[in-house]
Amino acid sequence: MMPTAVTLDSVGRIPFPGDNAAIASRRLDAGLEIRAQAHSFRLSHGVLEGHRFAIVPIPKGRALLSWGLPFGVALQDIAPGEYVCNRKILLALSQRHLDFPLPTSPNFSDHAIRYVLDERDFRPGTQISPLSPPPEFEGFERDPRRGVGTRNYVVILGTSSRTASFARSLAERFPQTTALFPNVDGVVPVAHTEGGDATRPNNFEFVVRTLAGFMVHPNVGAILAVDAGGEPVNNQVLQDYLKKHDYPIESVPAEFMTLGSDYESCLQKGEGIVRKSLEQANRSSRSRTSVARLRFALQCGGSDAFSGVSGNPLAGWMAKRLIQFGGSANLAESDELIGAEPYVLKNVKDVQTARRFLGTLQRFQERASWHGHDAEGNPSGGNNYRGLYNIAIKSIGAALKKDPEVCLDHVIDYGERMDSPGFYFMDSPGNDLESIAGQVAAGCNVILFTTGNGSITNFPFVPTLKIMTSTARFNLLSNEMDINAGRYQDGMSMDDLGAEAFDLALRVAAGQRTAGEHAGHSQVQIWREWKQTNSESLPAIRQRSRPSGQPIALGHRASNASITSQPSQAQPRFPVFETDRGCTSQRVGLIVPTSLCAGQVGRMIATQLNQSHAGSGLRYVALPHTEGCGASGGESEELFIRTMAGYLRHPFTERALLLEHGCEKTHNDAMRVDLERADVDVRKFGWASIQLDGGITAVTAKALTWFNETSNSSAPPQLKEVGIEHLRLGLVISPDLPESLTSALVELVRSIVSSGGSVVIPHGISSHSTTTFFNSLLDSPSTPPSLDYGQAFEHPGLHLMHSPTSHHVEILTGLGATGVEVILCHADSSRLQGHPMIPVLQIGTRSAEACPSPHPGDYHDLWAPNPTDVSELVNALFERVAQVVSRTYRPKSWVTGNTDFQMTRGFLGVSL
């Protein structure tokens, strides 16, 4: 029976007078009669919470309005009660398991965003009147150029991605510090993915400026910066930047350290520095200071239709109050203001600031266009599911973090320091983690984070206040959230809610822990590298032919006299596990985060499983990464899904659980669809959602239960002795490969492939050494790759993997997904990170004179000084590989914990 008619205000929200579509405040059934003032209408279809339906007739060609601004154009006459939908939302919802039918076609198209500043009629804005006296809070006084700290942390900064794993390992040695150092909030790592490639990146300025801002941030009581020494972004580069740009680094207890050859000795040295830093930081204490010293970062993630109704206006109210007291606030996420220009520029200081704002948005769009993308790639699957149809409607809601009474005073670059009071706009991508890093580098000491889906991300050394947009979601995720802005929708006034929330922000600034700090979860991501600097290469990249997947024939023996090989001794045999996936040397319980925001939670779950299942024979691994949300689609998203599919079907993977954050592009439902298209059997996997399962504690319990139940349901596999015909080897050829090792590796590859085994080699690095290697192995060194990056091979033999990156960890990530079970790489120039799932053997070749410590304490797994007897070296390589496959030898990167996992975005991936 159809329910009786309901009033419009009981089931819908109209953001602004004159809007012609309402937001459903709960799920509504088709046929529901709704009374709106003098008329009534029935819903044409079921409407999900957060989605919109027409409330007045909208003629064909007329704009659809929300907050008084256009977000679409009617493709046909739209009657009151019709569910309004565009093509994108119908596609997004088709991936979900809905229990009611959707419209068969869209009834509106996206609004074409074209904003032109009318300078002739421009009127300078005015800032809201100040209030006095400003209240006070207790903070950490620093050098006046640094500001006031709301926390007092010792930070271990991995200067580049090459030292990210070291920063994490060192911080893990200081789990509890407050008992001995009561004025210190803790020791935290800042581990990121940038600056570690072979050449200077296009985002170089962004990375170094961000790191410089971290170094002098007022929440840093002391800091240790660690580099590998040879990367483009290193400690010397950072120190030079700090000095050149007059950062007050002299007022910070700062140490700089370069890793040496012995990893454990480096950890011990780092421990000593951190202990000294703890003593220095502990000398600081809180004292009374003005609230004008606060700098709010205004941020949103996992947004929904109600973000612009309750959460963002609340953050805007709090920022307005802070500015009235003489403080400052920072609005960011450039692409999430495209379409909201009329609102933002209603109140701006002067025409120069307006021009700079528009120029920043234009520059962002131009960079995206070089990679074949635009801002419409920003809204995620979670945004779509919760009612954000396109970038225009998302931007209109996001802009409300700027209260209309607040004047836009400043426009700054990513990570540029805030040196005056007032309201700032900072250039950044919509990826909230990348955006937050820039805001922290700019000096923000409290983060106001609006979320509609329930984002759980936090920053390591700046407190994050989570503002939930609806009461139902707040109750679902109450352990992760701080403020229920849904009470505004429930009837509480914005002034009362704002005053209460502002008071909480002051208490947090004075030391009260946020929900995120209690959860112990945080992560850092700096604006990621982009590959293109113009659009010239775009057609050629898009037209690249796809690899065939067929193995490559070995070439004839080289006539080059410098490459000689001799028959090796008897080939090794080794015990492996016999499974329904074939023979495998490792048994892994795998956790695959479907996006960057689920990565650290996945790592926490894997750690608990390894502690509780020690001795079970199953090793638990999580693969945190940077993708799945806040990044472009197309080629880079295909690459990500293909790589994740490779790990899910890897012979090592005995059990696997996919862990979604809940609001990403590649959510569980989307991954299920894509994996099925790739012929992956998804029925054997576990599925969990941080948001929908109720937060970190609840989803952790669900994951532990799933692994426990599946582990108890099957007997362990039996051992079987096999030869190298079952070997699957990955081989990274470095540009500085010595002659004797070149010869030995050529012979190793020939032996394995000729016996029926498989070898996968990244294809893309070019040098004299690699040319010599490939000339000795193939008939033509220009042989095209047989596999795409991260593509699992289906036919044994020799394969070349397309590698759109020269970053060592990104290469390992792609290789691991192909199905190899051990990776060999040459490591002389510096220590290389290993892979968390696939054993990586590092070969050293320098002479004793060049490297005085070729002993078990260094980072090499095999020592092969040049020159050496090729036959002996081949046998030594086989022996070490056999030990790894037999599980009698653990690579040193595993022993020390020096491992990392990082996805490339290819040539066309870009942050959005």
mmCIF file of all heavy atoms in Angstrom, residues 750-792:
data_model
loop_
_atom_site.group_PDB
_atom_site.id
_atom_site.type_symbol
_atom_site.label_atom_id
_atom_site.label_comp_id
_atom_site.label_asym_id
_atom_site.label_seq_id
_atom_site.Cartn_x
_atom_site.Cartn_y
_atom_site.Cartn_z
ATOM 1 N N ARG A 750 68.644 -17.692 -20.088
ATOM 2 C CA ARG A 750 68.581 -18.740 -21.111
ATOM 3 C C ARG A 750 68.309 -20.103 -20.485
ATOM 4 O O ARG A 750 67.507 -20.885 -20.995
ATOM 5 C CB ARG A 750 69.901 -18.784 -21.896
ATOM 6 C CG ARG A 750 70.079 -17.617 -22.868
ATOM 7 C CD ARG A 750 71.339 -17.794 -23.711
ATOM 8 N NE ARG A 750 71.425 -16.784 -24.746
ATOM 9 C CZ ARG A 750 70.819 -16.846 -25.916
ATOM 10 N NH1 ARG A 750 70.059 -17.894 -26.198
ATOM 11 N NH2 ARG A 750 70.957 -15.888 -26.809
ATOM 12 N N SER A 751 68.948 -20.384 -19.367
ATOM 13 C CA SER A 751 68.768 -21.683 -18.713
ATOM 14 C C SER A 751 67.333 -21.866 -18.240
ATOM 15 O O SER A 751 66.717 -22.918 -18.444
ATOM 16 C CB SER A 751 69.728 -21.816 -17.526
ATOM 17 O OG SER A 751 71.067 -21.764 -17.944
ATOM 18 N N ILE A 752 66.773 -20.837 -17.606
ATOM 19 C CA ILE A 752 65.413 -20.934 -17.066
ATOM 20 C C ILE A 752 64.399 -21.077 -18.193
ATOM 21 O O ILE A 752 63.536 -21.965 -18.174
ATOM 22 C CB ILE A 752 65.093 -19.706 -16.189
ATOM 23 C CG1 ILE A 752 65.977 -19.696 -14.938
ATOM 24 C CG2 ILE A 752 63.611 -19.699 -15.790
ATOM 25 C CD1 ILE A 752 65.890 -18.410 -14.135
ATOM 26 N N VAL A 753 64.500 -20.212 -19.195
ATOM 27 C CA VAL A 753 63.517 -20.223 -20.281
ATOM 28 C C VAL A 753 63.631 -21.503 -21.103
ATOM 29 O O VAL A 753 62.621 -22.107 -21.487
ATOM 30 C CB VAL A 753 63.694 -18.968 -21.163
ATOM 31 C CG1 VAL A 753 62.803 -19.047 -22.401
ATOM 32 C CG2 VAL A 753 63.387 -17.715 -20.360
ATOM 33 N N SER A 754 64.859 -21.948 -21.362
ATOM 34 C CA SER A 754 65.054 -23.169 -22.151
ATOM 35 C C SER A 754 64.515 -24.397 -21.439
ATOM 36 O O SER A 754 64.148 -25.398 -22.079
ATOM 37 C CB SER A 754 66.546 -23.363 -22.459
ATOM 38 O OG SER A 754 67.039 -22.285 -23.223
ATOM 39 N N SER A 755 64.444 -24.320 -20.102
ATOM 40 C CA SER A 755 63.936 -25.450 -19.313
ATOM 41 C C SER A 755 62.427 -25.406 -19.130
ATOM 42 O O SER A 755 61.864 -26.290 -18.499
ATOM 43 C CB SER A 755 64.623 -25.475 -17.940
ATOM 44 O OG SER A 755 66.014 -25.625 -18.076
ATOM 45 N N GLY A 756 61.778 -24.374 -19.621
ATOM 46 C CA GLY A 756 60.335 -24.262 -19.497
ATOM 47 C C GLY A 756 59.867 -23.290 -18.446
ATOM 48 O O GLY A 756 58.661 -23.158 -18.213
ATOM 49 N N GLY A 757 60.805 -22.597 -17.783
ATOM 50 C CA GLY A 757 60.440 -21.603 -16.785
ATOM 51 C C GLY A 757 60.128 -20.261 -17.416
ATOM 52 O O GLY A 757 60.062 -20.120 -18.642
ATOM 53 N N SER A 758 59.938 -19.249 -16.564
ATOM 54 C CA SER A 758 59.542 -17.925 -17.047
ATOM 55 C C SER A 758 60.421 -16.851 -16.437
ATOM 56 O O SER A 758 60.802 -16.922 -15.261
ATOM 57 C CB SER A 758 58.081 -17.639 -16.697
ATOM 58 O OG SER A 758 57.229 -18.589 -17.298
ATOM 59 N N VAL A 759 60.721 -15.844 -17.250
ATOM 60 C CA VAL A 759 61.469 -14.665 -16.810
ATOM 61 C C VAL A 759 60.752 -13.430 -17.344
ATOM 62 O O VAL A 759 60.393 -13.378 -18.521
ATOM 63 C CB VAL A 759 62.927 -14.683 -17.310
ATOM 64 C CG1 VAL A 759 63.646 -13.411 -16.879
ATOM 65 C CG2 VAL A 759 63.662 -15.910 -16.808
ATOM 66 N N VAL A 760 60.548 -12.447 -16.469
ATOM 67 C CA VAL A 760 59.924 -11.181 -16.870
ATOM 68 C C VAL A 760 60.903 -10.052 -16.587
ATOM 69 O O VAL A 760 61.439 -9.953 -15.479
ATOM 70 C CB VAL A 760 58.602 -10.923 -16.120
ATOM 71 C CG1 VAL A 760 57.949 -9.640 -16.626
ATOM 72 C CG2 VAL A 760 57.648 -12.100 -16.269
ATOM 73 N N ILE A 761 61.128 -9.219 -17.614
ATOM 74 C CA ILE A 761 62.094 -8.126 -17.511
ATOM 75 C C ILE A 761 61.392 -6.819 -17.872
ATOM 76 O O ILE A 761 60.731 -6.741 -18.908
ATOM 77 C CB ILE A 761 63.288 -8.351 -18.469
ATOM 78 C CG1 ILE A 761 63.921 -9.730 -18.225
ATOM 79 C CG2 ILE A 761 64.326 -7.254 -18.303
ATOM 80 C CD1 ILE A 761 64.980 -10.100 -19.254
ATOM 81 N N PRO A 762 61.520 -5.772 -17.047
ATOM 82 C CA PRO A 762 60.930 -4.471 -17.416
ATOM 83 C C PRO A 762 61.556 -3.951 -18.706
ATOM 84 O O PRO A 762 62.758 -4.092 -18.933
ATOM 85 C CB PRO A 762 61.275 -3.569 -16.238
ATOM 86 C CG PRO A 762 61.599 -4.493 -15.117
ATOM 87 C CD PRO A 762 62.174 -5.721 -15.730
ATOM 88 N N HIS A 763 60.746 -3.322 -19.529
ATOM 89 C CA HIS A 763 61.172 -2.828 -20.824
ATOM 90 C C HIS A 763 60.980 -1.315 -20.842
ATOM 91 O O HIS A 763 59.884 -0.824 -20.649
ATOM 92 C CB HIS A 763 60.331 -3.475 -21.928
ATOM 93 C CG HIS A 763 60.703 -3.072 -23.314
ATOM 94 N ND1 HIS A 763 60.265 -1.916 -23.894
ATOM 95 C CD2 HIS A 763 61.466 -3.688 -24.247
ATOM 96 C CE1 HIS A 763 60.734 -1.823 -25.127
ATOM 97 N NE2 HIS A 763 61.471 -2.890 -25.360
ATOM 98 N N GLY A 764 62.080 -0.593 -21.039
ATOM 99 C CA GLY A 764 61.933 0.858 -21.089
ATOM 100 C C GLY A 764 63.197 1.602 -20.738
ATOM 101 O O GLY A 764 63.422 2.709 -21.215
ATOM 102 N N ILE A 765 64.072 1.031 -19.903
ATOM 103 C CA ILE A 765 65.320 1.691 -19.533
ATOM 104 C C ILE A 765 66.355 1.443 -20.625
ATOM 105 O O ILE A 765 66.548 0.314 -21.063
ATOM 106 C CB ILE A 765 65.838 1.164 -18.182
ATOM 107 C CG1 ILE A 765 64.783 1.357 -17.107
ATOM 108 C CG2 ILE A 765 67.123 1.842 -17.790
ATOM 109 C CD1 ILE A 765 65.126 0.715 -15.793
ATOM 110 N N SER A 766 67.034 2.473 -21.051
ATOM 111 C CA SER A 766 67.992 2.348 -22.143
ATOM 112 C C SER A 766 69.370 2.841 -21.710
ATOM 113 O O SER A 766 69.501 3.907 -21.139
ATOM 114 C CB SER A 766 67.512 3.148 -23.362
ATOM 115 O OG SER A 766 68.443 3.060 -24.411
ATOM 116 N N SER A 767 70.391 2.047 -21.963
ATOM 117 C CA SER A 767 71.782 2.432 -21.701
ATOM 118 C C SER A 767 72.682 1.450 -22.431
ATOM 119 O O SER A 767 72.222 0.463 -23.012
ATOM 120 C CB SER A 767 72.074 2.391 -20.196
ATOM 121 O OG SER A 767 72.090 1.048 -19.738
ATOM 122 N N HIS A 768 73.990 1.701 -22.399
ATOM 123 C CA HIS A 768 74.928 0.787 -23.049
ATOM 124 C C HIS A 768 74.852 -0.602 -22.423
ATOM 125 O O HIS A 768 74.842 -1.619 -23.128
ATOM 126 C CB HIS A 768 76.354 1.332 -22.933
ATOM 127 C CG HIS A 768 77.396 0.363 -23.410
ATOM 128 N ND1 HIS A 768 77.604 0.078 -24.744
ATOM 129 C CD2 HIS A 768 78.271 -0.425 -22.723
ATOM 130 C CE1 HIS A 768 78.565 -0.823 -24.873
ATOM 131 N NE2 HIS A 768 78.991 -1.139 -23.651
ATOM 132 N N SER A 769 74.765 -0.638 -21.085
ATOM 133 C CA SER A 769 74.729 -1.934 -20.400
ATOM 134 C C SER A 769 73.484 -2.725 -20.769
ATOM 135 O O SER A 769 73.537 -3.924 -21.042
ATOM 136 C CB SER A 769 74.775 -1.727 -18.886
ATOM 137 O OG SER A 769 75.968 -1.106 -18.491
ATOM 138 N N THR A 770 72.315 -2.059 -20.769
ATOM 139 C CA THR A 770 71.099 -2.782 -21.083
ATOM 140 C C THR A 770 71.056 -3.188 -22.549
ATOM 141 O O THR A 770 70.539 -4.253 -22.889
ATOM 142 C CB THR A 770 69.860 -1.927 -20.737
ATOM 143 O OG1 THR A 770 69.941 -0.676 -21.426
ATOM 144 C CG2 THR A 770 69.786 -1.663 -19.246
ATOM 145 N N THR A 771 71.613 -2.340 -23.421
ATOM 146 C CA THR A 771 71.673 -2.705 -24.839
ATOM 147 C C THR A 771 72.527 -3.951 -25.028
ATOM 148 O O THR A 771 72.164 -4.868 -25.779
ATOM 149 C CB THR A 771 72.237 -1.540 -25.673
ATOM 150 O OG1 THR A 771 71.390 -0.407 -25.515
ATOM 151 C CG2 THR A 771 72.317 -1.917 -27.139
ATOM 152 N N THR A 772 73.652 -4.013 -24.342
ATOM 153 C CA THR A 772 74.515 -5.193 -24.416
ATOM 154 C C THR A 772 73.778 -6.426 -23.921
ATOM 155 O O THR A 772 73.838 -7.498 -24.536
ATOM 156 C CB THR A 772 75.780 -4.972 -23.564
ATOM 157 O OG1 THR A 772 76.456 -3.815 -24.034
ATOM 158 C CG2 THR A 772 76.710 -6.178 -23.654
ATOM 159 N N PHE A 773 73.052 -6.273 -22.827
ATOM 160 C CA PHE A 773 72.308 -7.404 -22.275
ATOM 161 C C PHE A 773 71.275 -7.902 -23.279
ATOM 162 O O PHE A 773 71.202 -9.099 -23.586
ATOM 163 C CB PHE A 773 71.632 -6.984 -20.967
ATOM 164 C CG PHE A 773 70.731 -8.032 -20.388
ATOM 165 C CD1 PHE A 773 71.231 -9.042 -19.580
ATOM 166 C CD2 PHE A 773 69.369 -8.026 -20.661
ATOM 167 C CE1 PHE A 773 70.405 -10.017 -19.055
ATOM 168 C CE2 PHE A 773 68.533 -8.993 -20.137
ATOM 169 C CZ PHE A 773 69.056 -9.991 -19.331
ATOM 170 N N PHE A 774 70.448 -7.014 -23.799
ATOM 171 C CA PHE A 774 69.376 -7.431 -24.709
ATOM 172 C C PHE A 774 69.922 -7.925 -26.043
ATOM 173 O O PHE A 774 69.346 -8.822 -26.663
ATOM 174 C CB PHE A 774 68.376 -6.291 -24.906
ATOM 175 C CG PHE A 774 67.471 -6.069 -23.734
ATOM 176 C CD1 PHE A 774 67.523 -4.892 -22.997
ATOM 177 C CD2 PHE A 774 66.577 -7.054 -23.326
ATOM 178 C CE1 PHE A 774 66.688 -4.699 -21.909
ATOM 179 C CE2 PHE A 774 65.743 -6.873 -22.242
ATOM 180 C CZ PHE A 774 65.812 -5.692 -21.529
ATOM 181 N N ASN A 775 71.041 -7.358 -26.512
ATOM 182 C CA ASN A 775 71.666 -7.873 -27.736
ATOM 183 C C ASN A 775 72.108 -9.322 -27.560
ATOM 184 O O ASN A 775 72.115 -10.101 -28.515
ATOM 185 C CB ASN A 775 72.881 -7.023 -28.110
ATOM 186 C CG ASN A 775 72.492 -5.781 -28.880
ATOM 187 O OD1 ASN A 775 71.437 -5.725 -29.497
ATOM 188 N ND2 ASN A 775 73.354 -4.765 -28.833
ATOM 189 N N SER A 776 72.476 -9.675 -26.342
ATOM 190 C CA SER A 776 72.942 -11.027 -26.067
ATOM 191 C C SER A 776 71.797 -12.006 -25.845
ATOM 192 O O SER A 776 71.999 -13.215 -25.892
ATOM 193 C CB SER A 776 73.829 -11.023 -24.809
ATOM 194 O OG SER A 776 74.843 -10.062 -24.916
ATOM 195 N N LEU A 777 70.614 -11.486 -25.620
ATOM 196 C CA LEU A 777 69.483 -12.328 -25.268
ATOM 197 C C LEU A 777 68.475 -12.458 -26.398
ATOM 198 O O LEU A 777 67.837 -13.503 -26.566
ATOM 199 C CB LEU A 777 68.794 -11.741 -24.032
ATOM 200 C CG LEU A 777 67.799 -12.612 -23.285
ATOM 201 C CD1 LEU A 777 68.483 -13.845 -22.695
ATOM 202 C CD2 LEU A 777 67.146 -11.800 -22.159
ATOM 203 N N LEU A 778 68.345 -11.389 -27.202
ATOM 204 C CA LEU A 778 67.309 -11.328 -28.226
ATOM 205 C C LEU A 778 67.942 -11.119 -29.600
ATOM 206 O O LEU A 778 69.058 -10.607 -29.709
ATOM 207 C CB LEU A 778 66.341 -10.178 -27.940
ATOM 208 C CG LEU A 778 65.706 -10.140 -26.541
ATOM 209 C CD1 LEU A 778 64.984 -8.822 -26.335
ATOM 210 C CD2 LEU A 778 64.759 -11.309 -26.348
ATOM 211 N N ASP A 779 67.200 -11.477 -30.623
ATOM 212 C CA ASP A 779 67.679 -11.202 -31.972
ATOM 213 C C ASP A 779 67.649 -9.715 -32.265
ATOM 214 O O ASP A 779 68.452 -9.213 -33.060
ATOM 215 C CB ASP A 779 66.820 -11.949 -33.007
ATOM 216 C CG ASP A 779 67.183 -13.431 -33.067
ATOM 217 O OD1 ASP A 779 68.351 -13.765 -32.775
ATOM 218 O OD2 ASP A 779 66.294 -14.241 -33.381
ATOM 219 N N SER A 780 66.722 -8.984 -31.631
ATOM 220 C CA SER A 780 66.621 -7.545 -31.855
ATOM 221 C C SER A 780 66.401 -6.836 -30.533
ATOM 222 O O SER A 780 65.454 -7.156 -29.812
ATOM 223 C CB SER A 780 65.455 -7.228 -32.797
ATOM 224 O OG SER A 780 65.225 -5.826 -32.847
ATOM 225 N N PRO A 781 67.270 -5.862 -30.205
ATOM 226 C CA PRO A 781 67.086 -5.135 -28.943
ATOM 227 C C PRO A 781 65.838 -4.256 -28.957
ATOM 228 O O PRO A 781 65.409 -3.771 -27.911
ATOM 229 C CB PRO A 781 68.350 -4.284 -28.835
ATOM 230 C CG PRO A 781 68.830 -4.134 -30.241
ATOM 231 C CD PRO A 781 68.452 -5.403 -30.947
ATOM 232 N N SER A 782 65.235 -4.046 -30.122
ATOM 233 C CA SER A 782 64.021 -3.231 -30.211
ATOM 234 C C SER A 782 62.755 -4.074 -30.144
ATOM 235 O O SER A 782 61.672 -3.609 -30.489
ATOM 236 C CB SER A 782 64.025 -2.414 -31.510
ATOM 237 O OG SER A 782 64.080 -3.280 -32.632
ATOM 238 N N THR A 783 62.885 -5.318 -29.708
ATOM 239 C CA THR A 783 61.714 -6.188 -29.556
ATOM 240 C C THR A 783 60.681 -5.524 -28.651
ATOM 241 O O THR A 783 61.004 -5.075 -27.554
ATOM 242 C CB THR A 783 62.139 -7.537 -28.943
ATOM 243 O OG1 THR A 783 63.085 -8.160 -29.799
ATOM 244 C CG2 THR A 783 60.938 -8.452 -28.759
ATOM 245 N N PRO A 784 59.430 -5.433 -29.087
ATOM 246 C CA PRO A 784 58.413 -4.766 -28.260
ATOM 247 C C PRO A 784 58.060 -5.610 -27.052
ATOM 248 O O PRO A 784 58.253 -6.825 -27.035
ATOM 249 C CB PRO A 784 57.230 -4.624 -29.216
ATOM 250 C CG PRO A 784 57.402 -5.731 -30.203
ATOM 251 C CD PRO A 784 58.884 -5.900 -30.374
ATOM 252 N N PRO A 785 57.499 -4.977 -26.021
ATOM 253 C CA PRO A 785 57.113 -5.733 -24.818
ATOM 254 C C PRO A 785 55.993 -6.719 -25.122
ATOM 255 O O PRO A 785 55.159 -6.497 -25.999
ATOM 256 C CB PRO A 785 56.659 -4.654 -23.840
ATOM 257 C CG PRO A 785 56.308 -3.476 -24.692
ATOM 258 C CD PRO A 785 57.207 -3.536 -25.877
ATOM 259 N N SER A 786 55.973 -7.797 -24.369
ATOM 260 C CA SER A 786 54.916 -8.805 -24.512
ATOM 261 C C SER A 786 53.842 -8.651 -23.453
ATOM 262 O O SER A 786 52.768 -9.248 -23.559
ATOM 263 C CB SER A 786 55.518 -10.211 -24.411
ATOM 264 O OG SER A 786 56.180 -10.388 -23.163
ATOM 265 N N LEU A 787 54.120 -7.866 -22.416
ATOM 266 C CA LEU A 787 53.163 -7.647 -21.333
ATOM 267 C C LEU A 787 53.022 -6.158 -21.061
ATOM 268 O O LEU A 787 53.987 -5.396 -21.194
ATOM 269 C CB LEU A 787 53.636 -8.328 -20.040
ATOM 270 C CG LEU A 787 53.828 -9.842 -20.020
ATOM 271 C CD1 LEU A 787 54.439 -10.264 -18.688
ATOM 272 C CD2 LEU A 787 52.503 -10.555 -20.253
ATOM 273 N N ASP A 788 51.833 -5.740 -20.667
ATOM 274 C CA ASP A 788 51.652 -4.398 -20.147
ATOM 275 C C ASP A 788 52.145 -4.349 -18.704
ATOM 276 O O ASP A 788 52.326 -5.385 -18.048
ATOM 277 C CB ASP A 788 50.179 -4.001 -20.202
ATOM 278 C CG ASP A 788 49.891 -2.967 -21.274
ATOM 279 O OD1 ASP A 788 50.781 -2.124 -21.519
ATOM 280 O OD2 ASP A 788 48.795 -2.990 -21.864
ATOM 281 N N TYR A 789 52.327 -3.156 -18.198
ATOM 282 C CA TYR A 789 52.688 -2.983 -16.794
ATOM 283 C C TYR A 789 51.636 -3.681 -15.925
ATOM 284 O O TYR A 789 50.430 -3.462 -16.070
ATOM 285 C CB TYR A 789 52.749 -1.497 -16.455
ATOM 286 C CG TYR A 789 53.097 -1.185 -15.016
ATOM 287 C CD1 TYR A 789 54.409 -0.935 -14.640
ATOM 288 C CD2 TYR A 789 52.113 -1.123 -14.034
ATOM 289 C CE1 TYR A 789 54.735 -0.636 -13.325
ATOM 290 C CE2 TYR A 789 52.427 -0.828 -12.721
ATOM 291 C CZ TYR A 789 53.733 -0.587 -12.370
ATOM 292 O OH TYR A 789 54.048 -0.292 -11.057
ATOM 293 N N GLY A 790 52.106 -4.544 -15.016
ATOM 294 C CA GLY A 790 51.207 -5.208 -14.086
ATOM 295 C C GLY A 790 50.350 -6.303 -14.675
ATOM 296 O O GLY A 790 49.465 -6.823 -13.997
ATOM 297 N N GLN A 791 50.600 -6.711 -15.927
ATOM 298 C CA GLN A 791 49.784 -7.750 -16.570
ATOM 299 C C GLN A 791 50.313 -9.127 -16.209
ATOM 300 O O GLN A 791 51.492 -9.429 -16.405
ATOM 301 C CB GLN A 791 49.815 -7.566 -18.091
ATOM 302 C CG GLN A 791 49.025 -8.616 -18.861
ATOM 303 C CD GLN A 791 49.150 -8.446 -20.367
ATOM 304 O OE1 GLN A 791 49.689 -7.453 -20.851
ATOM 305 N NE2 GLN A 791 48.666 -9.430 -21.119
ATOM 306 N N ALA A 792 49.464 -9.978 -15.682
ATOM 307 C CA ALA A 792 49.861 -11.338 -15.330
ATOM 308 C C ALA A 792 50.107 -12.146 -16.608
ATOM 309 O O ALA A 792 49.274 -12.143 -17.507
ATOM 310 C CB ALA A 792 48.792 -12.002 -14.485
#
